[in-house]
Amino acid sequence: ILVAAVSFAYANSLHGPFIFDDEPSIVRNPSIRSLAFPQVLVAPPDTVAAAGRPILNLSLALNYAVGGLAVEGYHLVNLALHILATLALFALIRRTLLLPKLAERFGSAATGLALVVALLWAIHPLQTESVTYVVQRAESIVSLFYLLTLYCFLRGATAGRTWYGVAVVVCALGMASKEVMATAPFIAILYDRTFVAG
């Protein structure tokens, strides 16, 4: 349901042209023309959106390696990232509602509630920019890593400590995607305090 809804909502955006910061960050960005390491991770300062965000720059370089400057490929990746973030949100909410502290009240409706919340988040008009404006994929990437950090933290608390290591790796990838990810460890502590440890 989530994949179909998001795909339908954004199907008409696949042919949108490069706009605003897309020009310096994609069209005129020499660092995405090759996948050579470490150059592919270091965008020039004038790339605006990609500077200082190696994971974003790498994703643009992979797009360029596959399809050059064909805009449809960039939009498909943005759509896929948004779908993955939506699925991560669904999984996080569902597992949160199934925690012992919440299961008695919300356990039987956990899947339905998670579906509704994730669906509203996924197709809300505020999400449009992160899907249709190519370099704003930084928002989708950091959202995905942020949600996965919390999800892996929750799995670590309920299913095994290996998940904590995955949470650290995912959090580090998020920090290499956009600066706002620096708040994720603090949110994980608050999440733990609120839903897990009490």
Side-chain angles (χ1 to χ4, degrees), residues 15-183:
H15 304 290
F18 292 125
I19 57 171
F20 305 125
D21 293 342
D22 292 343
E23 288 290 327
S25 298
I26 299 169
V27 178
R28 297 191 310 266
N29 181 356
S31 67
I32 68 169
R33 301 297 188 258
S34 166
L35 293 175
F37 183 82
Q39 295 86 347
V40 69
L41 300 177
V42 184
D46 62 343
T47 59
V48 188
R53 298 172 178 173
I55 299 298
L56 172 61
N57 205 60
L58 176 61
S59 77
L60 296 173
L62 291 170
N63 254 138
Y64 186 84
V66 171
L69 292 176
V71 74
E72 293 81 7
Y74 294 86
H75 286 297
L76 281 172
V77 170
N78 281 19
L79 180 61
L81 288 167
H82 188 57
I83 288 171
L84 290 172
T86 300
L87 294 174
L89 177 63
F90 169 80
L92 175 64
I93 293 171
R94 183 178 170 278
R95 285 199 177 268
T96 300
L97 295 175
L98 291 173
L99 286 170
K101 294 180 180 190
L102 299 173
E104 185 178 328
R105 184 169 180 191
F106 299 107
S108 61
T111 301
L113 286 171
L115 177 66
V116 169
V117 171
L119 184 61
L120 289 173
W121 180 80
I123 61 173
H124 194 282
L126 286 176
Q127 299 293 355
T128 303
E129 183 177 285
S130 65
V131 181
T132 60
Y133 179 7
V134 176
V135 296
Q136 287 303 317
R137 81 169 45 165
E139 300 294 338
S140 294
I141 293 173
V142 79
S143 295
L144 174 61
F145 286 140
Y146 212 114
L147 292 166
L148 286 176
T149 298
L150 294 175
Y151 176 80
C152 292
F153 172 81
L154 174 57
R155 292 302 305 267
T158 59
R161 295 188 177 272
T162 304
W163 285 96
Y164 288 137
V166 178
V168 170
V169 170
V170 171
C171 187
L173 289 170
M175 289 183 185
S177 303
K178 191 165 185 197
E179 297 79 357
V180 71
M181 191 70 186
T183 63

